[in-house]
């Protein structure tokens, strides 16, 4: 049974493709420990796409953020590039592509997604997130 109290985790990761696997496995453990096993498969897919984009398309460190509140799981990736992500295409438009499917998958599988610039306190970069409702 999922907990009713909100919680949040943040995993800081280096700009290294191995961080995608570390993030995915960490997310699985977090969700399992909080009784949200039913969200694991979709959440892993979404986190993989978000973290992969953060690591592949930026030069600085990144972070995976996972938050549970009011029956909604928010998964997000912080990266060092302040430029907005490219708007996702539909899955029909990207099925034949080898690259460029990440945000299309996020758009198709998440209940809601978005991004926001990170400014203030000397920060630059962005936060790309998606929500999954229980």
């Amino acid at each position: 049974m999922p907990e009713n109290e909100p919680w949040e985790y943040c995993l800081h990761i280096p700009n290294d493709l191995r961080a995608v696997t570390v993030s995915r496995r960490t997310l699985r453990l977090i969700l399992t420990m909080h009784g949200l096993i039913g969200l694991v498969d979709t959440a892993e897919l979404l986190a993989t796409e978000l973290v992969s984009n953060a690591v592949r398309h930026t030069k600085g460190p990144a972070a995976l953020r996972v938050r549970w509140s009011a029956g909604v799981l928010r998964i997000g990736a912080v990266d060092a590039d302040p430029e907005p992500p490219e708007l996702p295409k539909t899955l029909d438009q990207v099925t034949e592509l080898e690259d460029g499917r990440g945000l299309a998958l996020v758009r198709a599988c998440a209940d809601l997604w978005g991004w926001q610039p990170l400014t203030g306190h000397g920060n630059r970069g962005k936060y790309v997130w998606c929500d999954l409702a229980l």
Side-chain angles (χ1 to χ4, degrees):
M1 178 67 101
E3 300 167 15
N4 292 327
E5 293 296 316
W7 47 260
E8 184 171 358
Y9 293 86
C10 184
L11 175 65
H12 295 271
I13 56 176
N15 190 287
D16 182 331
L17 283 176
R18 293 173 291 193
V20 177
T21 301
V22 171
S23 297
R24 186 175 59 242
R25 290 181 180 171
T26 301
L27 176 64
R28 176 175 281 276
L29 180 59
I30 291 168
L31 296 180
T32 300
M33 297 303 295
H34 283 282
L36 295 169
I37 194 73
L39 295 178
V40 167
D41 291 337
T42 303
E44 277 187 325
L45 172 67
L46 296 171
T48 297
E49 296 304 331
L50 295 176
V51 172
S52 177
N53 283 346
V55 171
R56 287 176 187 231
H57 301 296
T58 68
K59 296 190 184 323
L64 170 68
R65 288 186 184 168
V66 183
R67 183 181 78 198
W68 172 258
S69 181
V72 176
L73 179 69
R74 175 161 288 180
I75 304 163
V78 174
D79 67 44
D81 184 359
E83 292 299 313
E86 188 174 314
L87 290 176
K89 296 173 174 48
T90 65
L91 283 180
D92 292 342
Q93 294 172 310
V94 298
T95 53
E96 301 298 320
L97 299 177
E98 287 189 33
D99 283 334
R101 295 183 304 232
L103 284 180
L105 285 170
V106 170
R107 177 182 174 190
C109 296
D111 294 310
L112 187 65
W113 82 276
W115 78 280
Q116 62 194 64
L118 297 177
T119 57
H121 308 300
N123 290 332
R124 290 188 41 154
K126 68 180 167 294
Y127 176 52
V128 182
W129 55 268
C130 62
D131 289 347
L132 284 177
L134 186 64

